[in-house]
Amino acid sequence: MRRTLLGFAALCALAQPALAQAPAAPATPPAFPAQPNQGGPMPETQAPPNPAAPVPAENPLMVNYQPVTDEILANPDAEDWLMLRGRYEGWGYSELDQINKDTVGDLDLVWGRAMNAGINEAGPIVYDGIMFLPNPADVIQAINAVTGDLIWEYRRELPTVEELHSRWGERKRSIFLYEDKVFLATWDNFIVALDAKSGQVVWETNRGGDYYASNSSGPIVVNGVVIAGATCQVAPFGCYVTGHDAETGEELWRNEVIPRPGQPGDETWAGAAFENRWCTGVWGQLVYDEESDLVHYGSTGICPAGEAQRNMPGATMAGTNTRYAVRPETGEIVWNHQVLPRDNWDQECTFEMMVIDSVIQPNPNMPDVLGANAGPGADPVRTLTGIPCKTGVLWSFNSANGDFYYARGTNYQNLITSVDNATGAVTINEDVVLDEVGVEYFVCPTYGGGRDWPSGAYSPQTNAVYYPLMRKCIYSTARTDRDAAPQFAYNTRNVQVLSPGEDGIGMIMAVDVTTGDTLWTWKDRSPNYSPILATAGGLIFNGGSDRYLRAHDAETGDVLWRTRLPSRTFGYTITYEVDGVQYVAHAAGAGFEGATALVPEIDGPTGSNAIYVFALDQ
């Protein structure tokens, strides 16, 4: 008999016991460290003040727990889902194919579990039959991936939301397994190592920040170095990326993104005092190219959004909206490329780009082409390909050295007019620069994208990337009723509208990595503000604000299966296998997406956070 979601709302109301608990944060917030990009004094690693927290009874699944080594991370088993996007390269792709085009119609719910309250954008990870689930507000759970039974739970005691200044760090997209530890970057800006078998705190390191700096996408670990970015969305300073020793928590390096006076790039800030360079962070997903030994990440813009209000006419602002390739052991910057200078629209170019081996032969007539060179020839090259910004512009670079291959639009955008074919240098549309207060500008896309944090995916079966996109624009006016300040990140008044010629918001686009051509487009009235999963079963999974979780044909975009959940499908979808059974899991619930006002008939309640797990009807 088919299992259904009837009665599942009751399950979502269950609360879980706290088994392992961190101590409260210090009463006095730590001062923000004034440090150069690399070097200078580092915050000290702190031993857990409460090492005697209760230890749960040993679970049978943990008895034979094997450490997650560098070798395992480099070549993960298909049965596991070892990190946010399944593998270092950021693909969001699984080699499992038990659930495929022919069988997906028999997919049914097998278990579910309530999650902690708060903004839920969780990406579960699974290792050897154990699901490690990040919950909002720094609650981490280890769960039996077959039954949903709790093994252990960690709950961090946090300062108040008022002390933390914003809710950006409440969301917990990812954690990371390495050796015998679980690593998380916390709302109050600590890096914490938990014992993977018990959930007990092993060490924690305070990264500083007066509680302004935080983290939402989580760390990665590369060759024993824990690397994490930070969000400074409402901070009166810019953020940084740090690298820490995985055994001790010692901070090994720190890269700030905003140049200080006298540093390279300082001349691009129109003489603005360093103290007025606010908000730039690196809060998006990190990827690692093992072949080139490079970690790739991207930075955001600054606040306020408008050029007139920040009093920096013409400033291109080096360090903002820039892709960085760095050595994981030292933080050395090997190459960087600014993909959106002079950002007036908070386009936050911090989202993942994927490391993909492919022949690159750009079609100079690809749809919405902004720039394309002749390509490197008929031999495959190691690329960095993806949509790094809310603009929705798809870029392709050489992963090792940053050589530019092509850039093209996806959703409608009017911010970038062209990209230089040889260098990849961007020319922006001067007509939409917010250089006067009180003047209304038509801006596409909105402050929410285009694309936003929901990750795209890549399938080696089709050599295509798949992205969830939104078709929205705004009429934006710089405010005159209050002074520009970090806590007013945009400081604009905005009226949302659908993109020209569109009758809905949600969209998925499949793009050929070799040529940049569009393979197919799927559109929906409802926003689809949820990451994409691709599988060897010829499927991609994506969720919508209308509460539907869908499986699409990866070759055509056709919907082959869907199920409706109690609340919006915001989190990551993953797949894994235990004892020969393939499962699909999705975290749904409370989210942050403001587009549904344009489609008021969509019934998309938010809240009731839960993890839902499906398998083929047995």
Side-chain angles (χ1 to χ4, degrees), residues 52-76:
V55 179
E58 190 164 42
N59 186 280
L61 280 175
M62 292 299 188
V63 171
N64 297 316
Y65 184 91
Q66 297 297 310
V68 180
T69 63
D70 293 310
E71 292 74 20
I72 290 174
L73 291 169
N75 299 284

Side-chain angles (χ1 to χ4, degrees), residues 363 365-367 406 408 510-520:
N363 175 9
N365 300 311
M366 71 180 79
Y406 62 81
R408 57 150 297 181
V511 178
D512 183 89
V513 173
T514 295
T515 64
D517 287 325
T518 301
L519 298 177
W520 55 260

Side-chain angles (χ1 to χ4, degrees), residues 246-308:
E247 280 299 310
T248 66
E250 176 189 0
E251 189 169 303
L252 304 175
W253 54 266
R254 173 176 292 230
N255 287 351
E256 293 180 349
V257 290
I258 295 179
R260 291 176 175 273
Q263 291 181 333
D266 176 48
E267 71 283 357
T268 67
W269 283 77
F274 182 75
E275 293 74 22
N276 293 333
R277 303 175 188 182
W278 305 327
C279 302
T280 304
V282 179
W283 59 260
Q285 307 88 331
L286 312 180
V287 303
Y288 174 56
D289 179 357
E290 185 180 21
E291 183 177 292
S292 301
D293 189 31
L294 292 173
V295 169
H296 292 285
Y297 59 78
S299 61
T300 70
I302 75 163
C303 60
E307 188 168 287

Side-chain angles (χ1 to χ4, degrees), residues 7-77:
F8 199 72
L11 175 62
C12 296
L14 296 178
Q16 305 301 335
L19 299 181
Q21 182 168 304
T28 303
F32 177 69
Q35 298 173 339
N37 280 2
Q38 297 180 49
M42 299 296 181
E44 293 183 358
T45 300
Q46 299 177 3
N50 185 17
V55 179
E58 190 164 42
N59 186 280
L61 280 175
M62 292 299 188
V63 171
N64 297 316
Y65 184 91
Q66 297 297 310
V68 180
T69 63
D70 293 310
E71 292 74 20
I72 290 174
L73 291 169
N75 299 284
D77 288 338

Side-chain angles (χ1 to χ4, degrees), residues 82 123 155 193 214 246 264 295 301 347 355-356 388 393 412 456 483 487 509 513 525 543 591 595:
L82 277 182
R155 285 182 175 267
S214 190
V295 169
Q347 293 295 291
V355 179
I356 299 170
V393 173
Y412 181 83
D483 293 332
Q487 65 267 31
M509 184 175 287
V513 173
R525 177 91 170 142

